[in-house]
Amino acid sequence: MSISIRALHPHVGGEVTGVDLRRPLTRDEVAAIEAGMDRHAVLVFPGQPLDDAQQLAFSLNFGEIEKALAGDLQKLDEKRLSTDFADVSNLDRDQEIVKRDDRHRLFALGNRLWHSDSSFRAVPAKYSLLSARIIPSRGGNTEFADMRAAWDELDDETKARIEDLICEHSLMYSRGKLGFTELTPREREMFRPVRQRLVRTHPVSGRRSIYLSSHIGGIVGWPVAEANDFIRELVEHATQRRFVYSHPWRAHDLVVWDNRQTMHRVRPFADTVEKRDVRRTTIAGDGPTVAQAA
Ligand code: OGA
Ligand code: MN
C-alpha cells in the first residue's frame, strides 16, 4: 500500500488513500502527507475509523498539540473530551444533543463564520485535524477557502496596501458579530486581542496568503469602522466560490487543514435535532506572526 493524493478542487483540497491512520506511520508516509498539505492545504482521508488515542497519535506526527481553551463556557468536569481535543460536536457528556439556549452551543455557532483556528492566540495554530464519528443526514458541510489563491488574484495596488498591515484578533470580536456579548471577567481576560500579520508567507512553498478570520476586529493604526469595512471586503473577495472546496462529510472521514493558508466554516444543519460528533485535534504553530510588543 502506498499513499496517493488526488486533487479535489483546482486550488484547495486533496483526497488521500493508501494509508491506515490507526497504525504508526513511516517517516516517508509522514513526509508525503506534509508535502500534500503544503500543496493542497486541505487533505481528506476517507474511511479512517479512529478512536481518540489513534487520532492523537496520528496528530503528533505534525507537531505539538494545542490544548483546548474553554474559558468559563464549560467547567472542566463537564467536558466530554480531554483537553487534547476541541469538542466541536453538539453533544454533552451524556452524548445527548445540547439544548437550543445552551451557552456552549451559542458560542459554537461562531464556527459558522469564516475563520482560521486560534488566530486569536498569540501563537496561532498550524494544522487542525477533524475526525467525523457521527454525521447528520443533511447539511453540516465544512467549506475551505484558499487564502493563497485569494492573495494571487489581488491587484498590485491592494497587495502593496495590505502587505505590512497588522490586525487585532479576538474571540470577543467573532462572537460579538453574532450578538454573543455576555462574557465573564475571566473570559474577557482570556480573550484579550492579539496581533497578527494580514499577509503571511508559507515556510516551505514560499507562497503568500491573506490571513483573514472572523476573529479580526481591527487594523493597527486604522479607525475601527474603516478597518472592519475593509476586512469585510477582503473576506468577500477571498471566499468567492472559485476559491472554495465544500466538504460533504461521511462518518470516519478525517480532514486536515492548514490554518496558515485557508479559512473554513461549517454550514448549518439541524443541530438541535440530529447528532454531529466531530472531534478536533490542533497542532500548535511555531511562533507569532508578528513581533509582539512587550
Ligand atoms: C473547527 C470548526 C468545523 C466543523 O473544528 O475548527 O470550525 O465542520 N469546525 O465542525
Ligand atoms: Mn474552526
Side-chain angles (χ1 to χ4, degrees), residues 126-264:
K126 179 189 177 192
Y127 297 164
S128 293
L129 303 89
L130 195 62
S131 162
R133 313 294 173 85
I134 301 172
I135 286 301
S137 61
R138 294 172 5 140
N141 275 23
T142 306
E143 297 185 339
F144 298 94
D146 188 349
M147 296 299 104
R148 307 164 300 180
W151 164 265
D152 291 345
E153 293 195 27
L154 288 174
D155 57 67
D156 290 343
E157 196 185 318
T158 309
K159 283 180 177 169
R161 186 168 182 217
I162 73 172
E163 199 162 22
D164 293 318
L165 293 180
I166 305 291
C167 295
E168 306 245 352
H169 295 237
S170 168
L171 275 167
M172 267 186 294
Y173 299 143
S174 49
R175 271 47 188 178
K177 287 169 190 165
L178 292 175
F180 188 105
T181 49
E182 283 172 34
L183 300 173
T184 64
R186 194 172 113 80
E187 284 165 352
R188 271 178 210 290
E189 174 66 21
M190 288 173 77
F191 300 165
R192 267 202 322 266
V194 302
R195 294 180 169 191
Q196 308 288 2
R197 294 191 58 84
L198 183 53
V199 179
R200 299 184 71 167
T201 304
H202 189 271
V204 177
S205 71
R207 288 190 70 181
R208 304 234 254 169
S209 57
I210 320 177
Y211 193 37
L212 290 170
S213 193
S214 62
H215 305 307
I216 296 177
I219 299 174
V220 174
W222 284 41
V224 173
E226 187 180 347
N228 282 323
D229 176 59
F230 184 69
I231 294 296
R232 184 186 52 72
E233 290 285 346
L234 277 180
V235 169
E236 267 183 36
H237 160 74
T239 56
Q240 294 175 78
R241 293 318 291 180
R242 69 177 185 281
F243 301 137
V244 174
Y245 165 66
S246 179
H247 183 62
W249 289 93
R250 297 174 59 174
H252 309 316
D253 283 347
L254 178 82
V255 178
V256 185
W257 62 87
D258 187 339
N259 288 295
R260 302 167 303 182
Q261 322 195 71
T262 57
M263 275 204 292
H264 61 280

Side-chain angles (χ1 to χ4, degrees), residues 88 111 115 117 130 140 142 249 257 264 266 276 278 280:
V88 275
N111 286 334
H115 66 283
D117 289 336
L130 195 62
T142 306
W249 289 93
W257 62 87
H264 61 280
V266 62
R276 185 172 188 267
V278 291
R280 191 184 93 207

Side-chain angles (χ1 to χ4, degrees), residues 14-141:
E15 184 184 70
V16 186
T17 50
V19 62
D20 180 350
L21 304 184
R22 293 171 301 184
R23 307 188 191 296
L25 301 192
T26 65
R27 261 210 273 170
D28 285 351
E29 286 173 323
V30 174
I33 292 169
E34 292 244 14
M37 286 299 295
D38 292 344
R39 166 139 181 233
H40 300 283
V42 176
L43 290 178
V44 175
F45 299 77
Q48 303 283 351
L50 305 179
D51 63 24
D52 288 357
Q54 290 162 339
Q55 180 176 347
L56 189 57
F58 173 65
S59 302
L60 285 166
N61 286 304
F62 306 104
E64 285 174 21
I65 299 294
E66 182 191 279
K67 299 273 183 184
L69 148 151
D72 287 343
L73 283 166
Q74 254 184 340
K75 295 183 203 88
L76 274 182
D77 60 355
E78 286 172 10
K79 276 181 76 79
R80 201 171 65 100
L81 307 176
S82 91
T83 55
D84 288 329
F85 286 79
D87 192 354
V88 275
S89 76
N90 60 339
L91 305 178
D92 65 19
R93 244 178 102 92
D94 301 321
Q95 320 304 324
E96 297 297 334
I97 295 174
V98 298
K99 297 282 178 292
R100 187 174 183 186
D101 61 355
D102 183 278
R103 197 162 185 264
H104 185 255
R105 167 178 182 263
L106 297 175
F107 194 83
L109 288 177
N111 286 334
R112 296 188 185 182
L113 307 177
W114 284 110
H115 66 283
S116 174
D117 289 336
S118 304
S119 73
F120 52 82
R121 297 196 195 215
V123 176
K126 179 189 177 192
Y127 297 164
S128 293
L129 303 89
L130 195 62
S131 162
R133 313 294 173 85
I134 301 172
I135 286 301
S137 61
R138 294 172 5 140
N141 275 23

